[in-house]
Amino acid sequence: MEPAVISTNKENVFHNKNFCLAFLGALVSELGFVLYNFAVGFYILEITGNNAFIQGLYLAVSGLSMLIATPFGGVFSDRYNKARIMYICDYLRGATIIIATVLMLIFKNAGAHVAILFVLGMIGNVISGIFVPSAESLLPIIVKEEQLQQANSYNAMKTAFEGIIGIVLAGILYSILPIHILFFIVGLCYVISGESEMFIKYKKEVIKEKITVNIALKDMKTGFDYIRTKKGITVLLVAMLFINFFFTPVMNNLIPYFIKTDVAYAPSYLFDSFLKPEMWSSAFNLCYGLSSFVGAAVLSTRFHDEKCGKKTAHRICVIAIVMLTMTVSYIALVKTGVSLNAFLAVLCLIGIILGTLIACVNIPTTTALMRMVDKNMMGKVSSITSIGAQGMVPIASVLAGLILKYIGSASLLMFCSVGFTLTALFLIKNKDINEF
């Protein structure tokens, strides 16, 4: 392992007021996002009798809504004030969740709650599709280039911290509070985030041209054409399309289903005297978050690499090995009835390893993208990379729900780990990735 390279730049990125405001706003809104995602995943399983297909369909509808909106978010981001887009979107998300919470109090049957959550998922993710390109493309504008890796590392540490505190808090709050109170807290988080983002100031050239559908489509095409000139980025996007197709169902579909079935229905499980089943999901995410935090903290002290494509491919191959190990462990320990407790311990260890690896993949690649892409194209490119990362996730969510419902957890794990491994091998054998 090569020694860490300590940055000699004495100025910390937190001396930048705009970065602080964006960081604090994201800290609050992402905490709300963690609370909501945890709660809604378990709540849908709870009110539908552990129907994994409905859970998968919800994830798919939400993801598809975001995909449709994201290209338009990229166009808006490059034409209008990014900070203004961000705080308007956060206010809208907060208001939408609070209104949905009131409706759930009025209409109390399970069917109505499922319908409300589906509508909320669609509206909320359309807003997120507009929000994300602005949030991601704002950073290279308000932060110096030499501080980008530091800023991205701090953002990753923030996300990891929320994964630690947010998931633990979510597990506790979900166990002790009515769902409508938890959702109201989430809505309030988004409103507070919007207030912080209102004070972000930067110079934005005013584009007087009125935006139309044709202009928006033309801008999107410009973004795609720009990406095609960057072979390394193109290869990475194609790989990420399939990597997330096989990785996301394990995190979003499998873990909650495993907790609600294998753990909840077991006569006994590890630490059952003081841990409710849902809290084991928090334990896994705690391990994942702690290791992500440490990985991001280490990267915050390092200069960015000029080229990170080859290292990224190698790290993704290691993630493939971890996923194969998880599959074998589940079949050997849980499926055969040998020891649920041993698998819970293995799952936490896997969370530690994955958290470190994901940090070491995401931070350098995000920094490299921000350095390589022209600032006036950053919004459109950010929207395209989001589509590249999430494009097949809605299909994966539905498919995962069907596999869980009709075949089971072991089959989903085998499908995802083998598919992920094949994608990792494609990436490491492709020479164009060395250009990234």
Side-chain angles (χ1 to χ4, degrees):
M1 183 179 289
E2 61 186 72
V5 180
I6 307 300
S7 173
T8 57
N9 187 350
K10 294 182 180 180
E11 185 182 3
N12 191 282
V13 72
F14 276 113
H15 293 159
N16 182 323
K17 180 181 177 182
N18 281 330
F19 176 77
C20 288
L21 290 168
F23 184 91
L24 291 173
L27 180 67
V28 178
S29 65
E30 288 174 13
L31 179 61
F33 179 78
V34 170
L35 292 174
Y36 178 80
N37 272 8
F38 182 97
V40 78
F42 281 110
Y43 188 62
I44 287 176
L45 287 172
E46 180 182 322
I47 62 179
T48 61
N50 291 332
N51 192 318
F53 173 70
I54 293 179
Q55 182 210 29
L57 187 62
Y58 167 82
L59 292 171
V61 168
S62 298
L64 186 61
S65 301
M66 186 168 179
L67 279 177
I68 292 171
T70 296
F72 294 95
V75 172
F76 296 151
S77 172
D78 287 335
R79 286 178 168 268
Y80 303 118
N81 186 291
K82 300 176 193 292
R84 186 174 299 162
I85 292 172
M86 289 166 62
Y87 72 71
I88 289 174
C89 285
D90 269 343
Y91 281 141
L92 288 174
R93 286 193 289 190
T96 303
I97 291 174
I98 291 171
I99 291 169
T101 304
V102 172
L103 290 175
M104 289 173 70
L105 285 171
I106 296 172
F107 303 100
K108 297 185 178 181
N109 65 81
H113 282 202
V114 170
I116 290 168
L117 290 175
F118 267 74
V119 173
L120 177 60
M122 287 188 288
I123 294 174
N125 279 277
V126 166
I127 297 170
S128 293
I130 303 298
F131 174 91
V132 169
S134 290
E136 292 183 348
S137 61
L138 178 66
L139 194 62
I141 292 174
I142 63 174
V143 170
K144 297 175 182 178
E145 183 175 321
E146 62 270 21
Q147 293 180 317
L148 278 175
Q149 176 144 313
Q150 185 186 67
N152 282 316
S153 297
Y154 284 141
N155 280 334
M157 290 168 68
K158 165 178 57 63
T159 301
F161 173 78
E162 289 162 344
I164 298 166
I165 301 300
I167 291 294
V168 172
L169 187 62
I172 295 170
L173 293 179
Y174 185 80
S175 301
I176 64 174
L177 292 179
I179 194 69
H180 62 273
I181 294 179
L182 189 51
F183 281 179
F184 181 80
I185 292 171
V186 172
L188 197 58
C189 285
Y190 281 118
V191 172
I192 294 170
S193 175
E195 285 195 35
S196 175
E197 291 155 354
M198 284 184 71
F199 296 97
I200 298 173
K201 305 294 181 184
Y202 73 99
K203 291 182 179 180
K204 169 63 181 172
E205 182 182 349
V206 178
I207 300 176
K208 296 181 179 180
E209 181 184 25
K210 186 177 180 181
I211 192 166
T212 64
V213 173
N214 286 336
I215 290 174
L217 293 174
K218 184 179 177 182
D219 277 4
M220 290 178 203
K221 183 179 181 300
T222 301
F224 278 105
D225 290 341
Y226 180 85
I227 284 286
R228 286 169 59 190
T229 65
K230 311 283 186 181
K231 290 185 178 180
I233 297 177
T234 302
V235 170
L236 185 64
L237 287 180
V238 172
M240 292 307 296
L241 195 69
F242 290 96
I243 283 170
N244 281 323
F245 179 86
F246 294 113
F247 184 76
T248 304
V250 174
M251 302 295 285
N252 291 352
N253 295 73
L254 178 77
I255 298 297
Y257 187 78
F258 164 72
I259 298 297
K260 293 293 286 185
T261 53
D262 290 304
V263 178
Y265 290 161
S268 64
Y269 55 85
L270 197 62
F271 306 130
D272 59 1
S273 60
F274 61 92
L275 284 184
K276 292 188 177 182
E278 291 84 3
M279 291 183 182
W280 266 107
S281 179
S282 297
F284 169 76
N285 283 282
L286 176 64
C287 295
Y288 180 92
L290 278 170
S291 58
S292 295
F293 186 90
V294 173
V298 171
L299 286 171
S300 71
T301 67
R302 296 172 61 94
F303 283 123
H304 54 257
D305 295 319
E306 289 300 320
K307 302 283 185 181
C308 67
K310 191 173 182 179
K311 286 184 179 179
T312 297
H314 287 150
R315 289 162 182 166
I316 288 172
C317 284
V318 178
I319 295 174
I321 294 171
V322 174
M323 289 185 66
L324 288 168
T325 303
M326 182 178 180
T327 302
V328 172
S329 299
Y330 180 85
I331 294 171
L333 297 173
V334 180
K335 190 70 175 176
T336 58
V338 172
S339 177
L340 173 65
N341 291 346
F343 181 73
L344 287 171
V346 170
L347 192 64
C348 289
L349 178 61
I350 286 172
I352 293 170
I353 297 169
L354 283 178
T356 305
L357 289 169
I358 295 298
C360 291
V361 168
N362 286 347
I363 294 171
T365 53
T366 301
T367 303
L369 274 172
M370 289 180 175
R371 290 178 56 249
M372 293 171 66
V373 175
D374 296 337
K375 287 184 173 58
N376 64 331
M377 295 293 295
M378 197 64 217
K380 289 184 280 289
V381 171
S382 176
S383 69
I384 293 168
T385 55
S386 294
I387 293 170
Q390 303 297 322
M392 293 175 65
V393 169
I395 298 172
S397 297
V398 173
L399 184 59
L402 288 170
I403 292 173
L404 285 173
K405 184 175 182 180
Y406 294 107
I407 309 178
S409 300
S411 298
L412 179 61
L413 274 170
M414 284 189 287
F415 173 74
C416 290
S417 58
V418 171
F420 191 100
T421 301
L422 293 174
T423 306
L425 291 174
F426 154 78
L427 186 62
I428 203 166
K429 288 182 176 295
N430 194 298
K431 295 180 180 179
D432 288 333
I433 193 63
N434 296 329
E435 297 180 13
F436 182 75

